[in-house]
Amino acid sequence: MAEYLVKKREILAVIGHYSSEMTLQAGQVYNKNKLVIISPTSTSTRLSNFGKFVFKIPPSDLIAAQTLFNHLNQEIFLDKNVAVAYVANNEYSESLTREFEMLLKMKKFVHKCYLDAGNFSAQDCVEQAKNQGAEVMLLVPATDITLTKAIGVIDNAKGLELIGGDSIYNYRVVNDAGEEAAQNNLTVAIPWHRHPNSQFNQTAQKFWNAEINWRTATSYDATQTMMKAMDEMGGNYSRQKLQRILSSPDFLVEGVTGKIRFSQLGDRQFMGNDQPVLVQVKPNAKSGKYEFIILEEGS
């Protein structure tokens, strides 16, 4: 697809791709042929400083890992052993797993469960992690199949503190394992969380007739960013001019997820409070249904 798009000279830019793996593969083609791409959802650290024509809206896995690690420190889990359930050879899953393990320094993960293993057993994963002294489990699924297996881990994780990457932020988690997730304080780092009173949330929910999530917000911001850059070209359109505008230090978009500004190599420059937020699975006070609720500082 990327090879096809770059040959179409009337195409000035691409919004995509969904996964880090696809963005990395296609990004090489876009960079070589000087076609701008803005990814709303790719977070792999390998995309940092990847190339002048590849722009990213969400924070990288390095920032997400640091946010989760800081949460553990705040919860006095610094000296506790951590296990991980992730997907080997998946760009996103390995990226977040690697960045988090680097923060553990000399300790490393005491046990690793491979969610993509043919003989994977959620019960064995939890038992083996506990046998190695784990008190915290990081969950980093990458596909629908591995998400199902991660939900199995949540179901069996009694006694483990659970943390997760943004792929765990999924309605299936609260629908299928909400009670178990809440009991184990499942905490997830995501780029943005909806607020019921925000104009964006109300408008988007009415438009889609469904609950929105962080991917809705980052996709909206990617589109708004592209539209503003196009406007600034003043009708004199070119791929390279678009790249120069997006990477200019004067370019700024007030997005739903915060202020959007890029480095010369496409990385979003986060400022102030424009950082990942932590959400935790809890029952809704009114309905009793389990949902992801923003974790306030100090709670």
Side-chain angles (χ1 to χ4, degrees):
M1 177 60 74
E3 294 283 1
Y4 171 80
L5 293 175
V6 295
K7 292 175 182 176
K8 295 286 185 178
R9 300 310 301 176
E10 66 271 23
I11 295 177
L12 295 177
V14 173
I15 295 177
H17 293 264
Y18 179 80
S19 72
S20 294
E21 202 140 355
M22 285 295 296
T23 303
L24 279 164
Q25 292 176 12
Q28 296 179 33
V29 179
Y30 297 135
N31 264 326
K32 182 179 178 181
N33 292 275
K34 298 180 172 58
L35 177 62
V36 165
I37 170 180
I38 299 182
S39 176
T41 52
S42 300
T43 58
S44 170
T45 52
R46 285 181 60 198
L47 285 165
S48 293
N49 299 323
F50 183 71
K52 294 196 299 183
F53 285 81
V54 179
F55 296 84
K56 289 79 63 181
I57 295 294
S60 75
D61 293 325
L62 169 62
I63 300 175
Q66 186 68 64
T67 302
L68 287 169
F69 185 74
N70 291 345
H71 165 68
L72 293 187
N73 283 343
Q74 184 177 331
E75 294 290 313
I76 320 175
F77 273 88
L78 180 61
D79 297 325
K80 300 211 173 182
N81 293 324
V82 184
V84 63
Y86 76 114
V87 184
N89 300 316
N90 174 271
E91 187 58 48
Y92 156 71
S93 191
E94 285 210 334
S95 172
L96 181 58
T97 300
R98 179 176 60 248
E99 293 301 326
F100 193 89
E101 187 166 34
M102 288 176 65
L103 294 170
L104 296 175
K105 302 190 186 322
M106 297 300 294
K107 294 184 68 172
K108 304 298 182 185
F109 290 116
V110 295
H111 182 68
K112 293 183 178 181
C113 303
Y114 300 98
L115 294 169
D116 54 324
N119 62 346
F120 177 82
S121 163
Q123 186 175 354
D124 288 348
C125 169
V126 172
E127 287 183 0
Q128 291 166 12
K130 287 182 177 179
N131 288 340
Q132 295 300 317
E135 294 164 274
V136 181
M137 174 79 79
L138 171 65
L139 301 172
V140 200
T143 63
D144 284 344
I145 294 174
T146 54
L147 176 62
T148 299
K149 294 179 178 180
I151 290 171
V153 173
I154 296 170
D155 281 332
N156 287 273
K158 186 176 181 180
L160 286 177
E161 182 88 1
L162 297 178
I163 55 176
D166 57 49
S167 58
I168 282 286
Y169 187 89
N170 189 291
Y171 72 93
R172 291 177 54 203
V173 171
V174 291
N175 285 353
D176 299 347
E179 183 177 357
E180 293 80 8
Q183 288 174 351
N184 294 289
N185 298 320
L186 175 60
T187 305
V188 180
I190 55 175
W192 173 90
H193 189 61
R194 61 181 178 267
H195 190 285
N197 297 327
S198 78
Q199 185 63 51
F200 172 76
N201 182 69
Q202 293 175 0
T203 303
Q205 192 165 338
K206 183 178 180 180
F207 180 83
W208 294 108
N209 194 29
E211 291 285 351
I212 63 171
N213 57 40
W214 70 264
R215 300 169 187 89
T216 317
T218 52
S219 297
Y220 176 86
D221 277 357
T223 306
Q224 291 295 106
T225 299
M226 195 74 80
M227 289 171 60
K228 181 173 183 183
M230 291 284 190
D231 285 344
E232 292 192 10
M233 284 197 283
N236 184 19
Y237 301 114
S238 79
R239 293 177 175 181
Q240 289 179 293
K241 185 175 182 181
L242 180 60
Q243 185 277 332
R244 288 195 297 270
I245 289 172
L246 286 168
S247 59
S248 167
D250 297 326
F251 182 79
L252 180 67
V253 175
E254 294 284 350
V256 174
T257 62
K259 294 180 173 61
I260 300 168
R261 176 180 286 145
F262 300 104
S263 71
Q264 291 188 338
L265 286 175
D267 288 327
R268 182 170 169 183
Q269 305 297 290
F270 287 92
M271 300 163 278
N273 295 323
D274 304 335
Q275 298 289 335
V277 295
L278 291 171
V279 290
Q280 200 169 74
V281 176
K282 295 181 179 180
N284 183 290
K286 293 182 179 179
S287 68
K289 293 182 178 180
Y290 290 95
E291 60 184 56
F292 288 101
I293 296 176
I294 196 162
L295 189 64
E296 302 293 345
E297 288 186 16
S299 64

